[in-house]
Amino acid sequence: MQTGTSPTARALRTLEILRTRPGTTAEQLAEKLGVTDRAARRYVAILREAGIPVDSVRGPHGGYQLRRGTRLPPVTFTQSEALGLVMAVLDGRPAATDPGDLVGSALGKVIHALPEGIGRQAAALREHAAAAPDPGAAYADPAVTSALVDVIASRRRVVITYRSEAGNQWQEEVDPWAVVVRRARWYLLCHSHRANAVRTYRIDRVLAAEETAAGFRLPEDLDPVAVLEENLGTGWAYPTRVLFDAPVERVAPWAGPSMGQLEPVGVTGERCVLVGSTRNPAMYAQEWLAAVPFAFHVEGGTELRDAVAALASRLGTAVSGPASGAGQG
């Protein structure tokens, strides 16, 4: 818990300190809160006024402590923490505004357990914040995700049942390396024994995960995010090769690893080439290449060239006629 600057935040921090370190003196409490001894005693008084029994023990080993048998909620939040939690949940899952949603039900229980003042603000935020639904949202099954995390922690191979976007279904044994969250998508980064290669699978498409008795060794110095990004740019059905009239260092911020491998061209390196693959040439052209602010030439493959040509034709048609309202003032 972070120490806030408001009296409420510091009072909650005081409660946390006394719960974990009974016998804390006023001087020690003041040091941890970053306030004077007098202010520290005031925060103890605030807790007492709120009905929380805080006893004072005199003597060389004395200090403040919660009365024996005091029952407190397992988690306490400041108002900023509670509101930040609600905002994060709604940002990642707009459906959580509905109490009938799985995450919405859990969020409601958290809000209900908060102190009245903090809980009222959190409930109001949840009720009156309009969260736009994501038409492309795909949520991973918590049970499947938990099973995958368990085998990652125990270093056990797992047999997954997977259904592709096209509806094809299969089973395979994999070494589960990591669970990676990328742009609201949950991925399993693993080594596939079926393909004898690194693979990334959408966890929302994993139908089942069954632990095996076989173990595995995690690659040394594994960077799951970097490997995932690199893997997302390779192994797809349609090859891509794009030449840019700019050096690597200028193009790199616009060409993520999932677009392919970026390499310099020629001795001077004034140009660079992006080599990879995609499952969706139209998306690659319209959402990725169109955003790069440098001249480029699609050298391959055929599907990507057709997608870029179609995009260019559509944009050209949009400005081929006379401008509407020209000459009007």
Side-chain angles (χ1 to χ4, degrees):
M1 178 187 298
Q2 292 183 332
T3 301
T5 57
S6 70
T8 301
R10 285 198 169 119
L12 288 174
R13 176 60 176 153
T14 299
L15 177 60
E16 187 71 17
I17 293 171
L18 296 183
R19 179 164 54 181
T20 57
R21 296 195 61 181
T24 299
T25 66
E27 292 78 9
Q28 293 170 335
L29 187 59
E31 182 180 356
K32 291 181 178 296
L33 294 175
V35 298
T36 64
D37 294 0
R38 181 178 179 181
R41 293 186 179 92
R42 186 165 64 249
Y43 295 127
V44 172
I46 290 175
L47 294 180
R48 287 169 172 165
E49 291 173 1
I52 298 173
V54 180
D55 293 334
S56 301
V57 180
R58 297 182 179 278
H61 302 291
Y64 294 115
Q65 63 183 29
L66 300 178
R67 186 171 301 167
R68 187 183 299 275
T70 300
R71 299 179 65 86
L72 297 172
V75 180
T76 55
F77 295 96
T78 66
Q79 182 170 312
S80 295
E81 288 172 335
L83 296 179
L85 177 62
V86 174
M87 291 172 68
V89 171
L90 297 183
D91 183 54
R93 190 177 181 109
T97 55
D98 180 4
D101 177 74
L102 176 66
V103 177
S105 174
L107 181 61
K109 292 178 181 179
V110 172
I111 292 175
H112 183 71
L114 294 172
E116 182 180 355
I118 297 175
R120 183 171 59 252
Q121 291 291 325
L125 173 62
R126 180 195 187 190
E127 179 181 356
H128 298 291
D134 180 0
Y139 300 114
D141 185 327
V144 172
T145 307
S146 178
L148 292 174
V149 170
D150 285 344
V151 291
I152 291 170
S154 62
R155 298 290 190 269
R156 294 288 182 183
R157 291 182 184 175
V158 63
V159 175
I160 63 171
T161 303
Y162 194 78
R163 179 181 294 149
S164 69
E165 184 178 17
N168 300 320
Q169 184 172 318
W170 69 86
Q171 285 188 326
E172 65 175 296
E173 187 176 39
V174 303
D175 296 346
W177 289 352
V179 167
V180 182
V181 185
R182 177 184 184 272
R183 299 180 183 177
R185 293 282 188 270
W186 291 68
Y187 292 90
L188 172 65
L189 177 66
C190 62
H191 174 81
S192 166
H193 291 275
R194 175 173 174 259
N196 192 27
V198 178
R199 287 290 184 264
T200 54
Y201 293 121
R202 287 256 301 267
I203 297 181
D204 59 283
R205 295 176 183 160
V206 177
L207 306 181
E210 183 177 351
E211 180 179 349
T212 73
F216 70 92
R217 295 183 63 181
L218 197 67
E220 294 184 5
D221 302 323
L222 175 68
D223 184 338
V225 175
V227 175
L228 176 80
E229 290 284 358
E230 181 179 350
N231 189 258
L232 287 176
T234 60
W236 299 106
Y238 305 109
T240 61
R241 181 181 175 88
V242 183
L243 179 68
F244 291 94
D245 295 336
V248 168
E249 58 270 19
R250 297 189 65 191
V251 177
W254 300 89
S258 54
M259 292 177 66
Q261 185 71 32
L262 197 60
E263 300 175 350
V265 172
V267 178
T268 61
E270 294 180 356
R271 307 169 86 190
C272 63
V273 64
L274 182 64
V275 180
S277 62
T278 181
R279 67 178 179 85
N280 190 335
M283 181 275 295
Y284 196 105
Q286 297 172 20
E287 298 184 17
W288 289 357
L289 285 183
V292 180
F294 304 106
F296 62 85
H297 314 273
V298 181
E299 297 185 335
T302 302
E303 294 80 8
L304 180 59
R305 288 178 61 87
D306 291 344
V308 171
L311 174 62
S313 175
R314 180 163 63 87
L315 295 179
T317 301
V319 294
S320 59
S324 62
Q328 297 181 5

